[in-house]
Amino acid sequence: LHAKNASKTYDGTALTQSEWEIVSGNAYGHDFTVVMSADSTITDAGTQPNVIATVDGVAVTTGTTKAIGNFNVQTSNGTLTVNRMQIVIWANNASRDYNGQPLTQHEWTTPATSLPATDTHEFQVEYSAESTITDVGTKDNIITKVDGVEIPSDNQFHEVGNYLIRVDKGTLTVTPAYIVLYAKNASKPYDGTALTQSEWGIATGSAYGHDFTVVMTADSTITNAGTQPNVIATVDGTAEIGRASCRERV
């Protein structure tokens, strides 16, 4: 009598196999009662022998012939196999406007159908120390370890406990903050000298500690009685701002 094999993909539940078959001889209509050993079960990825413990209530030993009723019975083991489950873990994306603080994202996602309800394992996911961004731009959000096992971002599956895991990168994005800078007003009685005003202020938004270098246009000056617009020409040396989208106000 041979204990049958069984296999499945890991799902957090035990695999057993109570079926058996006759590989030599004939039962001549006799219905054997075959019971597997208590150890003939496996939950985690790997293999386990499926061992017949008793036949018609009589204990048997694998490979040894035993007289049981009208038969000389010999048993052989089957194999129980649990295969690792393939899982893809995505590093989540994150984005926000510039605020002077580092942006990180340590949450992750797996496909909704990849983990069965019977699998209650909680993955421990670690990220690269470089997965952070402060200034405007983008940065890869990279998972480096799962359950303490290092996993490269190579689009390949790697063994981690009961799983074959592939990790996919996310993206961290910092977009320009909106800020309105205005050139300040100035006035004086006519005295024959030019009036200029290099001071400015923030009308809307925040500089988040950034010290803008603001320069007025060459035309932002007046000597004779009248008015003249005080116009911001450049901010931080250019009209295109790296950390903030700026708008001038006369």
Side-chain angles (χ1 to χ4, degrees):
L1 305 183
H2 178 71
K4 286 188 175 182
N5 302 327
S7 65
K8 70 172 183 178
T9 298
Y10 173 79
D11 63 2
T13 65
L15 171 65
T16 60
Q17 169 61 285
S18 60
E19 296 182 2
W20 52 275
E21 60 187 343
I22 297 174
V23 294
S24 179
N26 193 315
Y28 300 106
H30 179 71
D31 187 14
F32 289 107
T33 299
V34 177
V35 178
M36 306 302 166
S37 70
D39 293 333
S40 295
T41 179
I42 185 172
T43 300
D44 293 331
T47 60
Q48 174 74 15
N50 196 26
V51 180
I52 296 174
T54 64
V55 177
D56 288 351
V58 179
V60 294
T61 301
T62 301
T64 300
T65 301
K66 184 85 169 184
I68 302 174
N70 295 313
F71 302 89
N72 288 321
V73 177
Q74 189 179 92
T75 61
S76 60
N77 298 341
T79 303
L80 304 175
T81 304
V82 174
N83 300 308
R84 287 181 170 86
M85 181 192 304
Q86 283 195 346
I87 296 289
V88 178
I89 297 180
W90 302 319
N92 284 3
N93 300 326
S95 64
R96 73 168 180 217
D97 289 346
Y98 173 81
N99 67 359
Q101 300 299 314
L103 171 65
T104 59
Q105 169 61 279
H106 290 168
E107 295 182 359
W108 49 272
T109 305
T110 59
T113 58
S114 64
L115 290 172
T118 52
D119 184 0
T120 59
H121 180 72
E122 294 185 5
F123 292 106
Q124 302 299 313
V125 178
E126 298 178 41
Y127 284 78
S128 163
E130 286 74 35
S131 293
T132 180
I133 186 172
T134 300
D135 291 335
V136 170
T138 60
K139 197 83 174 285
D140 286 338
N141 197 26
I142 301 174
I143 295 172
T144 56
K145 290 184 179 181
V146 177
D147 290 351
V149 178
E150 293 188 5
I151 301 182
S153 297
D154 59 1
N155 204 37
Q156 302 295 317
F157 286 92
H158 299 269
E159 292 184 2
V160 180
N162 291 312
Y163 307 90
L164 293 171
I165 294 179
R166 190 188 84 205
V167 294
D168 287 352
K169 299 176 183 178
T171 303
L172 304 174
T173 304
V174 174
T175 54
Y178 180 76
I179 189 170
V180 177
L181 307 184
Y182 68 92
K184 289 188 176 181
N185 300 326
S187 64
K188 70 173 184 178
Y190 172 77
D191 63 1
T193 64
L195 171 64
T196 59
Q197 170 61 284
S198 61
E199 294 184 3
W200 52 275
I202 297 174
T204 302
S206 173
Y208 300 106
H210 179 70
D211 186 14
F212 289 108
T213 299
V214 178
V215 177
M216 307 303 166
T217 65
D219 293 334
S220 295
T221 179
I222 185 172
T223 300
N224 296 323
T227 60
Q228 173 71 18
N230 195 27
V231 179
I232 295 173
T234 63
V235 178
D236 286 351
T238 179
E240 297 296 329
I241 311 305
R243 289 190 175 88
S245 298
C246 294
R247 187 180 71 194
E248 67 183 25
R249 187 177 73 176
V250 176

PDB file of all heavy atoms in Angstrom, residues 17-18 104 134 142 188:
ATOM      1  N   GLN A  17      -2.926  14.360   3.335  1.00  0.00           N
ATOM      2  CA  GLN A  17      -3.416  13.509   2.264  1.00  0.00           C
ATOM      3  C   GLN A  17      -3.733  12.132   2.866  1.00  0.00           C
ATOM      4  O   GLN A  17      -2.835  11.401   3.292  1.00  0.00           O
ATOM      5  CB  GLN A  17      -2.356  13.385   1.169  1.00  0.00           C
ATOM      6  CG  GLN A  17      -2.618  12.330   0.100  1.00  0.00           C
ATOM      7  CD  GLN A  17      -3.890  12.555  -0.692  1.00  0.00           C
ATOM      8  OE1 GLN A  17      -4.984  12.313  -0.195  1.00  0.00           O
ATOM      9  NE2 GLN A  17      -3.735  13.046  -1.930  1.00  0.00           N
ATOM     10  N   SER A  18      -5.013  11.803   2.943  1.00  0.00           N
ATOM     11  CA  SER A  18      -5.430  10.541   3.554  1.00  0.00           C
ATOM     12  C   SER A  18      -5.619   9.423   2.532  1.00  0.00           C
ATOM     13  O   SER A  18      -5.852   8.268   2.912  1.00  0.00           O
ATOM     14  CB  SER A  18      -6.750  10.740   4.318  1.00  0.00           C
ATOM     15  OG  SER A  18      -7.774  11.181   3.426  1.00  0.00           O
ATOM     16  N   THR A 104       9.036  60.972   2.913  1.00  0.00           N
ATOM     17  CA  THR A 104       9.273  59.540   2.859  1.00  0.00           C
ATOM     18  C   THR A 104       7.925  58.836   2.757  1.00  0.00           C
ATOM     19  O   THR A 104       6.880  59.421   3.049  1.00  0.00           O
ATOM     20  CB  THR A 104      10.015  59.018   4.105  1.00  0.00           C
ATOM     21  OG1 THR A 104       9.240  59.328   5.278  1.00  0.00           O
ATOM     22  CG2 THR A 104      11.393  59.667   4.221  1.00  0.00           C
ATOM     23  N   THR A 134      13.639  66.051  -0.315  1.00  0.00           N
ATOM     24  CA  THR A 134      13.207  67.311   0.298  1.00  0.00           C
ATOM     25  C   THR A 134      12.929  68.367  -0.759  1.00  0.00           C
ATOM     26  O   THR A 134      11.876  69.008  -0.739  1.00  0.00           O
ATOM     27  CB  THR A 134      14.275  67.831   1.282  1.00  0.00           C
ATOM     28  OG1 THR A 134      14.478  66.865   2.311  1.00  0.00           O
ATOM     29  CG2 THR A 134      13.819  69.145   1.918  1.00  0.00           C
ATOM     30  N   ILE A 142      12.605  52.761  -2.638  1.00  0.00           N
ATOM     31  CA  ILE A 142      13.152  51.430  -2.867  1.00  0.00           C
ATOM     32  C   ILE A 142      13.059  50.563  -1.612  1.00  0.00           C
ATOM     33  O   ILE A 142      13.572  50.936  -0.551  1.00  0.00           O
ATOM     34  CB  ILE A 142      14.622  51.521  -3.321  1.00  0.00           C
ATOM     35  CG1 ILE A 142      14.722  52.341  -4.612  1.00  0.00           C
ATOM     36  CG2 ILE A 142      15.219  50.138  -3.522  1.00  0.00           C
ATOM     37  CD1 ILE A 142      16.147  52.606  -5.052  1.00  0.00           C
ATOM     38  N   LYS A 188       8.537 109.520  -1.351  1.00  0.00           N
ATOM     39  CA  LYS A 188       9.254 110.609  -0.682  1.00  0.00           C
ATOM     40  C   LYS A 188       8.959 111.909  -1.435  1.00  0.00           C
ATOM     41  O   LYS A 188       8.515 111.886  -2.596  1.00  0.00           O
ATOM     42  CB  LYS A 188      10.755 110.337  -0.667  1.00  0.00           C
ATOM     43  CG  LYS A 188      11.424 110.447  -2.042  1.00  0.00           C
ATOM     44  CD  LYS A 188      12.934 110.333  -1.955  1.00  0.00           C
ATOM     45  CE  LYS A 188      13.590 110.538  -3.339  1.00  0.00           C
ATOM     46  NZ  LYS A 188      15.060 110.483  -3.254  1.00  0.00           N
TER      47      LYS A 188
END
